[in-house]
Amino acid sequence: MAFVVVVLLAILSTISFVFLLLVLYKTKHRTDIYHRLRRYYSVDTKKLQKSEDILHRVYKRIQKTSKPFADLDVTKKLDFKIKQAGFEIFGAEFIIIIALVSLVVLVVTYIITLNLTYAPLAGVAVPILSILWLNSRIKKRRQAFTEQLGDCLTTVANALRAGYSFQQAMDVVAREMEPPISSEFEHVATDVAMGVTLENALEQMNNRVGSSDFDLVVTAVLIQREIGGNLAQILDTIS
């Protein structure tokens, strides 16, 4: 019976961890949007402001606590996996959230079971289940990206025929299509705006996505940019 309680606690805590991760991720964007909207609306938003400020303070505290772990190898690997999953937080922040939830689960499990064997097991279950969830999200996101790729190539090819440059065609995809493919192309546009070459930005996107189909697209684009050719026709053929 105690073992069942531990398993249930671990599962519930992992769900709580995922929820907290999503809330903190959204908070980064919502807080900025909220403060912009305050300039245009005079309605009473004190409750909204209070909740947003609390979440913002929590996230800032997690950011500050995570700084000493930012240069660890495991943290850098997590950075990449989290980007693959479609989040913009860092691996060190991910570790801090897992550690906090694991500690809470460990304490609660001990209070319920009064067993020094089950409590550590419940605490260890949290990071294991969280990593499994992260890997599952990466796999689903890659599959969704691949399913969108045919329409994406058609959109880019049509934009090229209409006189757009390849970079402008990518902006059309980022604007017109749904995530995850739109967010990935938006990421490329941001990288290019920050000074990264288009070739390197595409290679980084290819590494994040991990799709053999998209690898073929990137290879074709890079070859075309080097030796020339009708890119619209090439993309139609790949599609």
Side-chain angles (χ1 to χ4, degrees):
M1 180 63 183
F3 179 74
V4 174
V5 172
V6 171
V7 172
L8 290 175
L9 280 172
I11 293 174
L12 289 173
S13 61
T14 304
I15 293 172
S16 301
F17 158 76
V18 172
F19 176 75
L20 178 61
L21 179 67
L22 293 173
V23 168
L24 292 175
Y25 169 66
K26 294 296 184 183
T27 297
K28 296 174 66 178
H29 306 284
R30 279 208 314 266
T31 302
D32 291 339
I33 292 172
Y34 162 72
H35 286 296
R36 291 175 185 174
L37 287 176
R38 285 184 64 194
R39 302 174 186 174
Y40 304 102
Y41 292 91
S42 58
V43 297
D44 184 11
T45 55
K46 290 182 179 179
K47 290 184 179 180
L48 178 61
Q49 179 185 8
K50 186 176 181 180
S51 63
E52 294 294 344
D53 287 345
I54 290 172
L55 288 172
H56 187 67
R57 284 198 296 270
V58 170
Y59 181 73
K60 287 296 183 182
R61 179 64 64 180
I62 290 175
Q63 277 187 317
K64 186 176 181 180
T65 307
S66 67
K67 284 183 179 179
F69 307 100
D71 294 327
L72 297 177
D73 289 338
V74 65
T75 303
K76 292 177 181 178
K77 290 179 181 178
L78 268 176
D79 283 341
F80 182 69
K81 289 183 74 69
I82 291 169
K83 286 181 181 178
Q84 285 185 302
F87 294 115
E88 295 297 330
I89 70 169
F90 294 102
E93 298 165 5
F94 187 88
I95 290 173
I96 294 299
I97 296 171
I98 287 180
L100 290 173
V101 176
S102 296
L103 180 61
V104 171
V105 170
L106 190 150
V107 172
V108 171
T109 303
Y110 178 72
I111 292 173
I112 293 175
T113 64
L114 297 177
N115 191 310
L116 287 175
T117 302
Y118 289 139
L121 288 176
V124 170
V126 174
I128 293 175
L129 292 174
S130 299
I131 294 298
L132 290 175
W133 168 80
L134 190 63
N135 288 333
S136 174
R137 179 177 170 86
I138 292 171
K139 184 177 179 180
K140 290 179 180 178
R141 194 168 186 269
R142 181 181 298 131
Q143 182 179 355
F145 181 96
T146 303
E147 291 173 353
Q148 291 178 295
L149 190 54
D151 291 338
C152 169
L153 295 180
T154 301
T155 300
V156 172
N158 290 338
L160 291 173
R161 291 192 187 93
Y164 287 70
S165 67
F166 180 70
Q167 190 169 337
Q168 289 172 326
M170 290 195 304
D171 291 338
V172 172
V173 172
R175 189 170 59 250
E176 300 295 337
M177 295 192 68
E178 297 293 326
I181 206 162
S182 61
S183 56
E184 284 295 342
F185 276 94
E186 185 178 356
H187 200 309
V188 170
T190 302
D191 287 345
V192 172
M194 295 295 290
V196 180
T197 64
L198 179 60
E199 289 79 4
N200 287 338
L202 285 173
E203 288 285 5
Q204 291 173 17
M205 176 180 171
N206 189 28
N207 291 333
R208 283 195 307 271
V209 172
S211 167
S212 57
D213 293 332
F214 187 67
D215 182 61
L216 178 61
V217 175
V218 172
T219 302
V221 170
L222 295 181
I223 291 174
Q224 187 274 338
R225 289 177 67 83
E226 189 171 325
I227 66 176
N230 189 333
L231 183 56
Q233 185 176 353
I234 294 171
L235 295 179
D236 278 337
T237 303
I238 295 175
S239 179

